[in-house]
Amino acid sequence: MEARIVCMFFEMNTTNLLFDKMPPKRLEIGKYGLVVSFVILLTCNRIGFVVSHEYANEVHTPQVQRTSYHFQPLKNWMNDPNGPMFYKGIYHFFYQHNPNGAVFNSKMVWAHSISYDLINWVHLNHALEPTDPFDINGCWSGSVSFLPENKPRILYTGIDSSSQQVQNLAIPANYSDPFLEKWRKFSQNPIIAPPDGLERNRFRDPTTAWQGPDGEWRVAIGGQTSYGGAAMLYRSEDFVRWHQFRFPLYSSQDSGTWECPDFYPVMLNGTNGIGFSSGFGVGVKYVMKASFNSSDHYTLGSYVPEKEKFTSDYGPGFDFKGINLGLRYDYGKFYASKTFYDSSQKRRILWGWVNESDSRQDDINKGWSGLQAIPRKIWLSKTGRQLIQWPVKEIKMLRRNHFSLHHKELRGRSTMEVLGGSASQVDVEVSFELPYLEEAESVDTRWGVLDPQVLCSKRDASVNGRVGPFGLLVLASNDLSEHTAIYFHILKAHNRYVVLMCSDQSRSSFRKEVDKTAHGAFVDIDPCYKKISLRTLVDHSIVESFGGKGKTCITSRVYPTLAVNNNARLYAFNNGTQTVVISSLKAWNMSNAEIK
Ligand SMILES: *[C@@H]1O[C@H](CO)[C@@H](O)[C@H](O)[C@H]1NC(C)=O
Ligand SMILES: *[C@@H]1O[C@H](CO)[C@@H](O)[C@H](O)[C@H]1NC(C)=O
Ligand SMILES: *[C@@H]1O[C@H](CO)[C@@H](O)[C@H](O)[C@H]1NC(C)=O
Ligand SMILES: *[C@@H]1O[C@H](CO)[C@@H](O)[C@H](O)[C@H]1NC(C)=O
Ligand SMILES: *[C@@H]1O[C@H](CO)[C@@H](O)[C@H](O)[C@H]1NC(C)=O
Ligand SMILES: *[C@@H]1O[C@H](CO)[C@@H](O)[C@H](O)[C@H]1NC(C)=O
């Protein structure tokens, strides 16, 4: 017999997610002397694009997979975001780049791009290249910190001449230059060598540094101790001489090497961001993020700088194991992320690397590999239990051709086209009502711990349920033989409703060799409100989805062969037996960003 589920109402997150429009400022590229190379590359690109479009249905040509409004270098490999910052009116973005090929190579450079709006970008010369004994085998990831008087410093990992990972300092050559085109490496590098007892090739990715109430600087560095993955803590009075603290800032057993740790405060109320300089303790929580096992894990907690102690809200011993290994920024492809505080708009912004899911040989054929997700504003949920993420408001400047519909019933087992052809670049926001919530089916608890990823694999979009699966089919071909399904499925488990969110790539491409693993997660909302929202950004080969107003994010990489360019369509679908209602749906096709 099924237990009856009683809906109890509580304060809902009413955060206003509709931001004001900001007029874009244009970068005058002429100033940078990059015009000539840009024209040539763009022309080549265009040719590739036209050719691949014409033959899309017959042979696979890779350029149809290239994105139009996500950050990418013109060619070759990109991975981690590095040192994002706002300086003198300009956003700076650095990233790990192999300028010589589309595959990973240890001799990374810090490539450098600038923007007024986080959407349109101009690539500058590399900020850091392997040149000295302390980084001759690679300039790996790191962060920017601001010293007093708005003086940025880069702390980065160098792979030195004996292949050890050491930490180095770089300083702007000219503070008056808002583009910060030239960086000087500090003469006494390296400033931090791997400590004893640590593997010398697992000591990397310094965080943005922060100053304690005692005025001393702190920085955390990823690595692996005999105990497990850790964020090692260092302190300094002058930002040059650093001393290891006896305990890591945080660590976790068995998680493997921690990469790209990130540590920052979030406000307890409101969506504004905050920097460390605003003080400690009152009105804030702290986020400890670590990248391991191909995903970005975080936990919320408290931090006492006097004791150098971060304590997870899950308890002092929480070590990213157990229920879902804690929280993740994104349950799809999203790794090595980094946040920065944007002082101009009092917000914290998250950048994350989105890997390919095709093969190394595909990357070589395409001539490129790796994207950055659209930068996301990030803040603490009103529940205090998790973070919320939402694409920066500037992305709206790319929206064209508004399409909308309201109060439309989506009956059981039906599919409805919402945007004809040319849905390869879209931003869609949809809100569903669930009038028959009580009909939701119970999940078989014999599956033990409810693992959403397993649930999404077992209940893909083609499995008929009751309240769900319902959602969107993006990058869909005319006959629906190719599509990526992003959907919800409401289930009853342990006497309550759970909202499952999935991204099903199983029919995303006729290509065999690409990874089509389903991604899934729960959405921490109470479906008793009978409403649930989904926003999805589609850009040729990337699908970024935000469920429950940014509570659960899933990014997928897909490589359709039919649903490309003008042949890509967008549908809403319901494969449950119960009717759901689209209370509102807005879709825009997106114009290209200028990234050159
Ligand atoms: C520093 O940058 C400013 C602003 O771009 C420029 O006017 C000045 O000539 C630069 N100084 C040097 C020494 O390059
Ligand atoms: C946060 O809470 C404090 C104290 O309750 C209040 O003074 C402040 O205005 C709130 N800030 C926001 C952004 O809601
Ligand atoms: C790594 O991730 C996989 C897939 O999500 C999971 O099954 C596995 O338990 C994880 N391992 C560790 C050590 O976190
Ligand atoms: C990147 O993608 C490739 C291919 O799917 C995979 O083998 C690799 O583990 C991924 N790397 C990360 C860090 O996710
Ligand atoms: C945008 O959408 C409209 C209406 O669906 C379509 O006619 C047009 O071709 C699309 N434009 C682009 C650039 O995709
Ligand atoms: C919906 O269910 C039907 C019947 O099982 C199936 O043929 C169809 O492919 C499903 N739709 C999706 C989007 O999976």
Side-chain angles (χ1 to χ4, degrees):
M1 204 183 76
E2 267 181 20
R4 209 174 138 251
I5 299 177
V6 183
C7 282
M8 286 184 301
F9 288 80
F10 54 85
E11 193 59 19
M12 200 168 66
N13 188 344
T14 51
T15 310
N16 181 10
L17 296 166
L18 299 169
F19 299 97
D20 299 331
K21 268 222 159 105
M22 194 192 86
K25 278 192 223 164
R26 292 269 159 212
L27 283 169
E28 289 165 38
I29 58 156
K31 270 191 205 160
Y32 310 130
L34 291 177
V35 183
V36 174
S37 59
F38 160 61
V39 170
I40 293 163
L41 284 157
L42 186 72
T43 309
C44 301
N45 206 25
R46 277 285 148 78
I47 292 165
F49 200 78
V50 171
V51 170
S52 48
H53 171 66
E54 294 213 328
Y55 294 94
N57 290 348
E58 291 143 46
V59 292
H60 163 62
T61 45
Q63 290 316 318
V64 292
Q65 321 292 7
R66 190 156 167 101
T67 62
S68 292
Y69 65 91
H70 280 74
F71 183 91
Q72 286 193 266
L74 295 171
K75 58 180 182 175
N76 292 330
W77 169 272
M78 167 172 68
N79 56 314
D80 309 0
N82 291 154
M85 67 167 149
F86 181 78
Y87 183 74
K88 297 199 171 173
I90 290 176
Y91 292 102
H92 290 254
F93 183 69
F94 306 89
Y95 57 93
Q96 290 289 285
H97 181 49
N98 172 9
N100 301 314
V103 295
F104 179 83
N105 176 306
S106 79
K107 294 210 175 187
M108 288 288 159
V109 305
W110 271 50
H112 183 192
S113 304
I114 54 173
S115 171
Y116 284 116
D117 54 25
L118 294 165
I119 303 299
N120 300 293
W121 292 89
V122 171
H123 300 305
L124 303 182
N125 291 331
H126 301 153
L128 302 171
E129 290 177 330
T131 49
D132 291 80
F134 52 78
D135 66 8
I136 194 70
N137 285 309
C139 297
W140 282 22
S141 288
S143 303
V144 164
S145 312
F146 281 94
L147 267 48
E149 294 166 17
N150 203 32
K151 296 211 151 89
R153 290 284 182 276
I154 287 176
L155 276 178
Y156 71 100
T157 299
I159 311 301
D160 75 6
S161 45
S162 48
S163 292
Q164 295 189 98
Q165 301 184 354
V166 298
Q167 316 310 321
N168 300 318
L169 178 63
I171 299 160
N174 179 1
Y175 290 109
S176 312
D177 170 17
F179 306 141
L180 295 173
E181 285 202 83
K182 284 210 167 58
W183 290 79
R184 203 161 44 75
K185 292 174 187 171
F186 185 53
S187 56
Q188 290 159 46
N189 280 340
I191 55 169
I192 308 178
D196 293 338
L198 197 87
E199 288 186 50
R200 306 176 93 67
N201 59 352
R202 290 165 192 253
F203 179 57
R204 54 182 179 260
D205 311 338
T207 61
T208 292
W210 66 98
Q211 241 173 336
D214 56 8
E216 272 198 37
W217 289 98
R218 276 92 169 149
V219 72
I221 302 172
Q224 186 168 24
T225 63
S226 53
Y227 175 79
M232 256 74 73
L233 185 67
Y234 281 76
R235 301 205 301 188
S236 172
E237 281 176 21
D238 57 7
F239 217 84
V240 170
R241 285 164 301 175
W242 293 86
H243 307 283
Q244 190 184 11
F245 191 67
R246 42 185 201 288
F247 305 113
L249 179 64
Y250 210 70
S251 60
S252 87
Q253 223 171 333
D254 308 328
S255 64
T257 306
W258 275 20
E259 298 188 287
C260 302
D262 198 8
F263 182 63
Y264 55 92
V266 284
M267 303 237 287
L268 285 176
N269 62 359
T271 68
N272 279 355
I274 188 171
F276 274 103
S277 57
S278 311
F280 292 85
V282 186
V284 298
K285 250 189 214 292
Y286 293 84
V287 180
M288 179 78 241
K289 185 278 286 187
S291 303
F292 55 84
N293 199 16
S294 298
S295 47
D296 280 12
H297 304 263
Y298 74 92
T299 185
L300 297 162
S302 56
Y303 170 61
V304 182
E306 291 79 4
K307 295 184 176 164
E308 304 301 3
K309 198 168 168 56
F310 170 80
T311 310
S312 167
D313 286 350
Y314 292 135
F318 174 74
D319 82 346
F320 293 88
K321 285 200 291 195
I323 312 157
N324 302 330
L325 301 156
L327 296 157
R328 280 170 56 178
Y329 281 157
D330 191 299
Y331 294 83
K333 290 223 154 209
F334 192 91
Y335 192 70
S337 67
K338 190 178 294 298
T339 64
F340 75 105
Y341 176 60
D342 173 10
S343 55
S344 72
Q345 300 201 36
K346 297 193 168 44
R347 59 184 173 178
R348 184 164 290 274
I349 290 174
L350 171 69
W351 281 97
W353 166 46
V354 183
N355 191 7
E356 304 297 313
S357 54
D358 56 1
S359 69
R360 183 187 154 92
Q361 188 56 47
D362 290 325
D363 293 346
I364 293 166
N365 296 346
K366 288 186 298 200
W368 54 269
S369 174
L371 311 176
Q372 298 294 325
I374 295 298
R376 302 171 181 179
K377 180 172 161 167
I378 186 164
W379 68 93
L380 184 68
S381 154
K382 276 207 171 163
T383 65
R385 289 195 294 255
Q386 65 163 118
L387 296 169
I388 307 285
Q389 297 162 63
W390 201 247
V392 293
K393 61 179 192 267
E394 288 87 344
I395 193 72
K396 292 184 180 180
M397 73 174 69
L398 301 178
R399 288 173 167 179
R400 303 282 181 274
N401 302 321
H402 181 202
F403 168 90
S404 72
L405 61 82
H406 293 276
H407 202 81
K408 181 103 186 145
E409 279 199 349
L410 200 54
R411 293 182 182 280
R413 303 193 184 187
S414 67
T415 301
M416 182 179 78
E417 182 154 15
V418 289
L419 208 61
S422 284
S424 53
Q425 295 175 214
V426 294
D427 181 357
V428 50
E429 292 189 57
V430 56
S431 177
F432 296 99
E433 268 170 39
L434 317 172
Y436 304 106
L437 175 69
E438 293 76 12
E439 302 299 322
E441 75 248 43
S442 292
V443 69
D444 188 348
T445 39
R446 279 174 309 178
W447 291 350
V449 199
L450 288 181
D451 180 335
Q453 212 259 321
V454 172
L455 286 172
C456 290
S457 315
K458 292 200 179 188
R459 294 173 183 237
D460 67 31
S462 69
V463 174
N464 300 121
R466 286 198 221 154
V467 186
F470 62 88
L472 298 171
L473 303 178
V474 304
L475 294 172
S477 59
N478 280 333
D479 59 358
L480 286 177
S481 57
E482 264 187 346
H483 63 258
T484 297
I486 301 107
Y487 61 90
F488 299 112
H489 200 145
I490 319 289
L491 301 164
K492 283 180 198 165
H494 306 305
N495 293 339
R496 62 186 192 97
Y497 294 110
V498 292
V499 180
L500 182 67
M501 175 173 164
C502 308
S503 176
D504 171 11
Q505 284 79 241
S506 59
R507 287 178 282 173
S508 60
S509 174
F510 283 111
R511 287 171 57 193
K512 296 254 177 334
E513 73 286 9
V514 303
D515 177 8
K516 295 174 189 164
T517 312
H519 305 305
F522 293 121
V523 192
D524 184 15
I525 58 165
D526 185 350
C528 290
Y529 288 99
K530 303 198 169 182
K531 270 199 172 166
I532 182 162
S533 73
L534 174 66
R535 178 173 182 191
T536 296
L537 296 169
V538 179
D539 189 4
H540 297 273
S541 62
I542 182 171
V543 180
E544 286 185 79
S545 299
F546 303 81
K549 294 198 161 86
K551 284 197 156 177
T552 298
C553 308
I554 302 181
T555 297
S556 302
R557 295 304 308 279
V558 292
Y559 307 91
T561 59
L562 301 177
V564 298
N565 295 339
N566 294 330
N567 298 320
R569 291 163 179 265
L570 173 68
Y571 296 83
F573 83 105
N574 177 8
N575 243 349
T577 51
Q578 304 299 314
T579 295
V580 299
V581 178
I582 296 178
S583 47
S584 112
L585 183 148
K586 292 176 187 160
W588 297 264
N589 49 17
M590 301 289 273
S591 59
N592 296 359
E594 287 180 32
I595 302 172
K596 52 212 182 184

